[in-house]
Amino acid sequence: MDELLAEAGFLRRVARGLASDSSEADDLVQETFVAALEHPPHENRSIRGWLATVAANLSRNKRRERSRREHREHVAARAECFEDERVSQEKIELQRTLFELLLTLPAEQRTVVYLRYYEEQTPTAIAEQLGVPLKTVKSRHTRAMTSLRERLDARSGGDRRVWMEALLVPSSALRTGGTAGGVVAATIGGIAMKKLVLVAIAAVLAALAWFAIPHTAHVEPAAANAPSMPANLDERPAKPAPAMTQTPPTDREPVATTNKVSTGALEVHLSWSDGTLAANVGLEVQCESDPAPRDESSRAFSDASGVARFDKLFAGKVKLIPDLRERFEGEVEAGTTRTITHTFEKGEEVRGRVIDPAGAPVASAEIWCKGADWRCPDTIRTERCATDGTFRLRDVVQRARIDARAPHFRASSCFEVAKIAVGPSGSREIELILGESGGRVSGHVLDPDGTPLEHAMVLAGPRGWTNKEGTAGVEPQPGTVVTDKEGAFEIVEDLAPGKQPIYATAPGYPVWEGTVDVAAGTTASIEIRLEHSSRIEGRVIGLDDRPIAGIKVVASKETHGGWYFDMLPASKATSDEQGRFALDWLKPGECELNASDYMRPEVGRAQTKVVCIAGQTLNCDVHLERGNTISGHVQSKDGSPLAGWKVYSQGADFEDYWTPRQAKTDATGGFTLINLGPGNQNLIVRGPEFEPAPRAQAFRIPLGTKDVELVVEDANVARGTLRARIVDPSGHSLKDVEATMWKTGAIVGSFLDVDPGTGIVESQVQPGRYRIEVRRSMVTLLISDDFVVSENQITEAGDLTIGATGRAEVRITGLPTETTEFRISLEGPGRMESARLELDGGVWKSKDIASGRWFVTISAQSPNPPNRRGWRESEIWIRDGSVEITPGATGHFDLVVEPAHRMEFTFANSGEGMITIETQDAPGRITSFRTVGLSTQNGKSNIDLLLPVGRSSIVVRTIEGMSGKVEVDVEDNRKPHPPIEIPLH
């Protein structure tokens, strides 16, 4: 009874849409409740859907009884005169026109109208008979009604009253209670008219209101035809503007059930890799047949016997996503409970402790992990800590991320398991330090009518995942909380004081976003009222102006040509065989649509903007386009075409960063890259099998180029093998390190699998010079010498021994007193490697870093920063800024700064904008080292360097293997100097 009463509001809205007045609606609600109590629905039925069906049946029975009764009274009564018993020739002609218009409708629309009004079938029955989704039936019906109304409007000069009066009957006739078809037949009298004509007339009359039972709101005739509006705000003149069709707001269920997909249940039995029962494991299930337009999932925790139970899952294939562990698949069978047994693969063990900022354990702490959707910045609770703050995670995958949260503290940093160091026990060990206290956030989530929403999802706080300098951690992402039966929620952790973003949504509703004012030591309360959703239906049109299937359409703002940064999952759809798609649960207002197929870049991409209105459906076609293009051929050095090779593009300048594009060569070696970003492009060729090292390259190719010739010099050269063993000083293998291999001159490396038992790494590569880099927890531990790999040969690199790390403590005198904040870093021995120094008691201290030579660099905060970070190289210099880090020791260094002068250099740069710069003093010692990215204009790159007074040498090396050197004499004055040219060879 409680479940039925909880749906009373929904049932009243249904009844008001079915009944002629409020008293009849109240009777209908009571009769439906009686029927529900006497013959309740099956447990696997949706209560709302079942109640709506029962109410509709009862209402239809009442109408039939009333019609039969009125017919008997009409026959028995004395004949009455209509106001006008003759029908004009004009009205007959209009009805014939309507019949002809009906026959001109597309076959699929005409079939739906025929079945609906001639056969008097329900929309559900039509969907079952035609074998299409119910939404398809509704959309075909809506399009048919819209077409008929628009054509009749056009025929009557835009005055709807003309054709309405021709179809409607006198008021005295309507008072007899006859149906539209019967009244028109009586009006026409003895004219022989096919039943289909009556159907057409009834259809147009019925089109003035929504015809499907789940859509219950009443629509007045004047609102039935919404004005058309352009879907593309950029006004694409070559394409017709899509029409908007209005439909009233809908009362949606938590998960759409209009498709009547059968449901079943799952019992998932989980075991650890050693065979013991896996209790308290969070598990999400995503159903492939879920009709929701967004990624929806069900979540449960395994009990003490390792069993996680799920009810009412959509039948068909499902994805099972356990927290921190590998995904697996299963299948749900309608009407039954299936059992799935799964044993986790052997993974990492993570042990740790959660402490507060003062170092004390936190009894109420929880471990949170990255959620199932890696595209959205959410985290979910996965483990509760013991009262002493300790926790243990078993069989964890290395790519998993964890952080800690507790009431009255801000969340800890987030760590990838692969970057957590292995302790003496063989487990990865970490202390998660909670942040200082802030303010709390709580509130309620309501539906558009003000009713509390259970199971709504709420996120609060900044996006997170930005790097924290000097550590392997990143800023935490917002934690996901779910509302209770009263729609209430409370964010687990504290948030930083100030305005914080907050997001909420629930199945059937668009994403809501806003801000909440957080104050330290208090709880901010917020009421969130979700909006009625909008809907978009349309087609995807290919480059050949024909509908295309298999194109993913997503309602999300695209960044840099292909990246999406939604806080909660966006609505998406895939076009069917007729190119049609439907997007639901959309937020009213401007909406950006993006269409593409990642596996078929050659079909093009589309982007358009539309304006959505709550409760309305917009019809919109999206047209795939080629955009900016570059084409050419790939061939071997003897001129033979290379088919099936990959060509990649990326912006030549950093400010023109764009999602890389790719194309595959055809039988002639030809390729066309489409939808390229702005600016010149760098092209990279790789073989049919992925290899990180480029096989051929071309730089700074202008957009629109059609004749690029890319020659692969080693196309027919066999690969060789590079093999090495990574060990510690005692000769033992290491499992917590990350190894990468780099070809000389390449900016893309490849990961190497390190065998945890032997420490051996092995990879087949093209002949050339390579080096191996080894890192642990964001720190480079080793950079090998270069190894030459020959064709069909095995190159044994031997043991690569990782030494112990060291630390640096640096005292710097002579820093300018007018600058209050400095950033002191060590530039690596490795590529793009740096380590931040922190000021502690007048000493700049590092954390553990790799042994070897480092170079001290100084940056100061500028009042007029040249970049968004607000930092620039300060105009001071350290004469001997190199420091040598000894394994297992802390090096102490005293450095003195002196004034420096800024000098500008220029050189021709045809490459990708990445160079290394070394500064050498007069004796030839390296005094500074850094790797930078450049912006190139008119084929030239400019850099400015700070140099001390005296003679210095500047050495520049590009990733294409070019280098140049120039010597300069810096005078002790401030007079400007023209840029100095550095020739490259």
Side-chain angles (χ1 to χ4, degrees):
M1 190 61 186
D2 291 340
E3 293 183 62
L4 293 176
L5 292 177
E7 305 297 341
F10 165 77
L11 185 56
R12 288 192 186 95
R13 292 192 292 272
V14 173
R16 285 197 298 268
L18 294 170
S20 59
D21 54 45
S22 59
S23 60
E24 184 178 336
D26 291 340
D27 292 341
L28 186 57
V29 169
Q30 296 300 324
E31 292 173 10
T32 304
F33 275 144
V34 170
L37 292 174
E38 292 178 348
H39 304 286
H42 298 297
E43 291 185 359
N44 62 350
R45 286 293 302 273
S46 161
I47 293 180
R48 281 193 169 188
W50 187 87
L51 288 174
T53 301
V54 171
N57 291 337
L58 291 173
S59 176
R60 184 166 54 251
N61 292 340
K62 280 194 169 189
R63 288 197 302 270
R64 288 174 178 172
E65 292 175 3
R66 182 167 58 244
S67 176
R68 286 194 292 267
R69 181 177 66 253
E70 291 173 347
H71 176 69
R72 291 194 301 270
E73 294 173 352
H74 177 74
V75 172
R78 188 174 53 190
E80 296 181 4
C81 260
F82 290 137
E83 294 177 7
D84 184 359
E85 295 184 353
R86 293 175 301 172
V87 178
S88 69
Q89 181 66 28
E90 180 182 355
K91 292 184 178 182
I92 296 176
E93 183 63 30
L94 179 59
Q95 290 156 3
R96 181 185 295 112
T97 299
L98 175 58
F99 173 65
E100 293 171 352
L101 290 177
L102 183 64
L103 295 179
T104 64
L105 291 175
E108 65 271 13
Q109 296 178 15
R110 188 169 64 247
T111 300
V112 170
V113 172
Y114 175 85
L115 294 175
R116 180 72 181 101
Y117 298 106
Y118 186 86
E119 299 289 348
E120 298 182 353
Q121 294 188 26
T122 65
T124 301
I126 296 173
E128 293 175 353
Q129 179 174 335
L130 298 180
V132 298
L134 182 58
K135 289 182 179 179
T136 300
V137 173
K138 293 180 179 180
S139 63
R140 291 177 181 176
H141 177 275
T142 300
R143 293 190 189 98
M145 297 301 102
T146 302
S147 177
L148 291 173
R149 286 196 301 269
E150 290 175 349
R151 296 184 187 187
L152 288 170
D153 282 346
R155 187 186 183 281
S156 58
D159 188 354
R160 177 163 297 176
R161 290 174 300 177
V162 173
W163 62 265
M164 288 284 292
E165 290 172 358
L167 294 178
L168 293 175
V169 296
S171 57
S172 58
L174 290 175
R175 285 193 295 270
T176 66
T179 65
V183 172
V184 173
T187 305
I188 294 176
I191 298 177
M193 179 177 282
K194 295 181 179 180
K195 185 177 181 180
L196 190 58
V197 178
L198 303 181
V199 173
I201 297 171
V204 176
L205 295 174
L208 301 176
W210 187 240
F211 78 106
I213 290 172
H215 301 263
T216 57
H218 179 66
V219 183
E220 296 297 331
N225 188 35
S228 62
M229 64 189 307
N232 189 341
L233 300 184
D234 297 327
E235 297 294 339
R236 185 201 319 244
K239 306 293 182 183
M244 174 185 287
T245 304
Q246 174 175 316
T247 60
T250 61
D251 293 304
R252 298 189 180 276
E253 301 183 31
V255 175
T257 58
T258 54
N259 282 346
K260 297 211 170 181
V261 179
S262 301
T263 60
L266 272 187
E267 277 193 3
V268 185
H269 295 248
L270 301 175
S271 300
W272 299 119
S273 57
D274 61 4
T276 58
L277 300 178
N280 197 36
V281 175
L283 181 66
E284 293 193 29
V285 177
Q286 292 180 345
C287 301
E288 191 175 288
S289 59
D290 190 339
R294 294 196 300 253
D295 289 334
E296 297 288 321
S297 61
S298 301
R299 181 167 174 81
F301 278 82
S302 58
D303 58 20
S305 60
V307 179
R309 296 176 174 83
F310 298 89
D311 297 323
K312 297 183 180 179
L313 296 176
F314 292 102
K317 295 181 179 179
V318 295
K319 293 180 181 178
L320 297 105
I321 310 165
D323 296 347
L324 305 170
R325 286 128 195 139
E326 292 288 353
R327 303 181 177 199
F328 55 102
E329 296 182 347
E331 191 163 354
V332 174
E333 185 177 347
T336 65
T337 299
R338 270 201 166 185
T339 299
I340 296 178
T341 301
H342 181 77
T343 300
F344 293 123
E345 296 180 6
K346 178 66 176 176
E348 302 286 345
E349 180 176 76
V350 181
R351 292 179 180 269
R353 186 172 69 133
V354 180
I355 58 176
D356 64 18
V362 180
S364 59
E366 299 173 341
I367 303 301
W368 288 54
C369 71
K370 183 66 192 78
D373 192 338
W374 287 84
R375 295 161 299 184
C376 300
D378 63 319
T379 52
I380 49 178
R381 182 183 69 81
T382 186
E383 186 82 13
R384 297 187 187 278
C385 298
T387 54
D388 61 353
T390 59
F391 65 91
R392 177 196 181 202
L393 305 173
R394 303 180 58 180
D395 293 330
V396 177
V397 295
Q398 290 192 356
R399 66 177 181 275
R401 293 178 181 262
I402 62 170
D403 61 43
R405 300 171 193 243
H408 310 298
F409 296 97
R410 292 164 66 180
S412 75
S413 297
C414 181
F415 293 86
E416 186 177 357
V417 169
K419 293 180 171 60
I420 299 175
V422 176
S425 65
S427 301
R428 296 186 183 266
E429 299 177 357
I430 190 171
E431 270 191 340
L432 296 175
I433 305 173
L434 296 172
E436 299 286 349
S437 61
R440 310 215 68 194
V441 175
S442 65
H444 289 79
V445 179
L446 313 176
D447 70 9
D449 299 325
T451 304
L453 274 175
E454 187 180 6
H455 303 308
M457 182 185 299
V458 182
L459 299 179
R463 185 179 187 88
W465 266 27
T466 54
N467 290 326
K468 301 193 74 172
E469 290 190 85
T471 74
V474 296
E475 296 289 348
Q477 295 184 302
T480 303
V481 295
V482 178
T483 57
D484 59 18
K485 290 184 177 181
E486 284 73 42
F489 69 90
E490 184 170 18
I491 304 299
V492 172
E493 72 277 9
D494 283 13
L495 299 178
K499 281 191 177 294
Q500 294 290 352
I502 186 168
Y503 307 84
T505 191
Y509 299 96
V511 174
W512 178 96
E513 56 184 285
T515 58
V516 57
D517 289 317
V518 178
T522 64
T523 299
S525 182
I526 183 172
E527 182 179 277
I528 298 172
R529 182 171 295 210
L530 302 184
E531 301 176 90
H532 285 296
S533 65
S534 304
R535 179 180 171 88
I536 295 176
E537 295 178 357
R539 296 179 305 164
V540 180
I541 307 300
L543 298 175
D544 58 357
D545 289 329
R546 300 170 64 181
I548 183 171
I551 302 299
K552 181 179 177 181
V553 184
V554 59
S556 176
K557 182 177 176 58
E558 184 186 59
T559 303
H560 296 296
W563 294 102
Y564 301 96
F565 298 99
D566 300 293
M567 294 298 294
L568 290 167
S571 294
K572 60 185 180 180
T574 302
S575 60
D576 62 16
E577 293 300 324
Q578 287 75 44
R580 299 196 178 279
F581 69 91
L583 294 167
D584 213 337
W585 303 2
L586 300 177
K587 181 181 178 64
E590 184 176 278
C591 176
E592 182 177 303
L593 301 184
N594 288 280
S596 63
D597 183 354
Y598 178 78
M599 301 304 295
R600 295 183 295 164
E602 68 277 4
V603 303
R605 301 172 66 89
Q607 184 180 98
T608 187
K609 293 180 180 179
V610 298
V611 176
C612 296
I613 301 176
Q616 293 190 1
T617 296
L618 176 69
N619 290 318
C620 172
D621 288 351
V622 294
H623 297 258
L624 301 181
E625 298 176 344
R626 294 166 60 88
N628 298 322
T629 66
I630 292 176
S631 60
H633 288 80
V634 179
Q635 61 188 30
S636 63
K637 65 179 180 179
D638 62 3
S640 301
L642 298 178
W645 285 56
K646 308 266 185 26
V647 183
Y648 300 82
S649 72
Q650 57 188 33
D653 299 320
F654 285 157
E655 59 264 35
D656 290 334
Y657 173 74
W658 203 254
T659 304
R661 304 300 190 209
Q662 64 176 343
K664 183 183 292 187
T665 58
D666 59 21
T668 68
F671 69 89
T672 300
L673 292 157
I674 69 175
N675 296 116
L676 300 173
N680 294 334
Q681 300 290 306
N682 296 328
L683 306 186
I684 298 174
V685 178
R686 293 191 175 94
E689 298 181 6
F690 177 77
E691 299 168 344
R695 304 292 295 278
Q697 299 181 79
F699 301 103
R700 309 200 65 78
I701 306 300
L703 297 174
T705 303
K706 301 180 183 298
D707 54 358
V708 180
E709 293 293 340
L710 296 167
V711 179
V712 181
E713 297 289 342
D714 59 353
N716 301 314
V717 176
R719 294 191 292 179
T721 301
L722 176 61
R723 182 185 297 155
R725 182 169 176 259
I726 301 172
V727 295
D728 63 13
S730 62
H732 295 117
S733 62
L734 300 168
K735 73 172 185 176
D736 62 333
V737 294
E738 181 183 271
T740 54
M741 181 173 61
W742 302 79
K743 189 175 184 180
T744 301
I747 64 169
V748 179
S750 60
F751 285 97
L752 297 173
D753 290 329
V754 182
D755 186 282
T758 64
I760 292 177
V761 296
E762 183 176 311
S763 180
Q764 288 191 333
V765 295
Q766 289 298 122
R769 299 180 66 88
Y770 294 86
R771 73 178 187 274
I772 294 176
E773 298 187 7
V774 183
R775 293 163 63 92
R776 175 197 283 143
S777 300
M778 301 294 290
V779 175
T780 299
L781 302 178
L782 178 144
I783 300 176
S784 74
D785 295 330
D786 283 358
F787 303 100
V788 178
V789 179
S790 301
E791 184 178 3
N792 284 324
Q793 298 292 320
I794 298 177
T795 300
E796 294 283 359
D799 287 354
L800 304 180
T801 304
I802 295 175
T805 58
R807 294 194 174 196
E809 293 188 358
V810 182
R811 291 183 181 273
I812 302 176
T813 57
L815 290 175
T817 57
E818 64 271 15
T819 302
T820 58
E821 190 172 358
F822 288 94
R823 176 177 291 178
I824 313 295
S825 300
L826 297 178
E827 292 291 339
R831 183 178 174 280
M832 298 196 70
E833 181 71 16
S834 65
R836 176 87 176 270
L837 300 182
E838 300 291 343
L839 185 61
D840 182 10
V843 179
W844 296 89
K845 298 180 179 180
S846 77
K847 297 191 176 183
D848 289 336
I849 55 176
S851 58
R853 177 178 290 187
W854 296 75
F855 302 91
V856 180
T857 62
I858 302 178
S859 300
Q861 192 160 26
S862 170
N864 297 302
N867 55 55
R868 60 185 178 185
R869 295 188 177 184
W871 291 90
R872 65 175 299 154
E873 196 174 18
S874 57
E875 295 191 355
I876 52 179
W877 177 267
I878 298 176
R879 172 63 66 175
D880 185 8
S882 66
V883 296
E884 191 74 25
I885 304 301
T886 304
T890 299
H892 299 274
F893 308 93
D894 290 313
L895 304 177
V896 179
V897 300
E898 59 183 81
H901 298 278
R902 193 172 300 278
M903 305 286 291
E904 187 176 3
F905 299 86
T906 183
F907 51 90
N909 177 28
S910 61
E912 296 180 339
M914 295 292 295
I915 64 170
T916 60
I917 305 171
E918 288 179 5
T919 326
Q920 301 175 0
D921 60 12
R925 295 174 302 182
I926 298 176
T927 55
S928 70
F929 171 91
R930 60 179 175 156
T931 303
V932 297
L934 297 177
S935 171
T936 303
Q937 294 182 351
N938 300 322
K940 293 283 187 178
S941 292
N942 294 328
I943 58 172
D944 58 338
L945 300 175
L946 288 169
L947 299 174
V949 174
R951 192 170 186 80
S952 295
S953 297
I954 311 301
V955 180
V956 173
R957 294 184 178 89
T958 75
I959 62 168
E960 298 84 47
M962 303 181 73
S963 63
K965 182 177 181 178
V966 67
E967 294 185 353
V968 295
D969 286 310
V970 180
E971 300 175 357
D972 190 11
N973 57 52
R974 296 286 180 173
K975 69 178 182 180
H977 290 271
I980 299 174
E981 180 89 18
I982 303 178
L984 297 182
H985 305 282

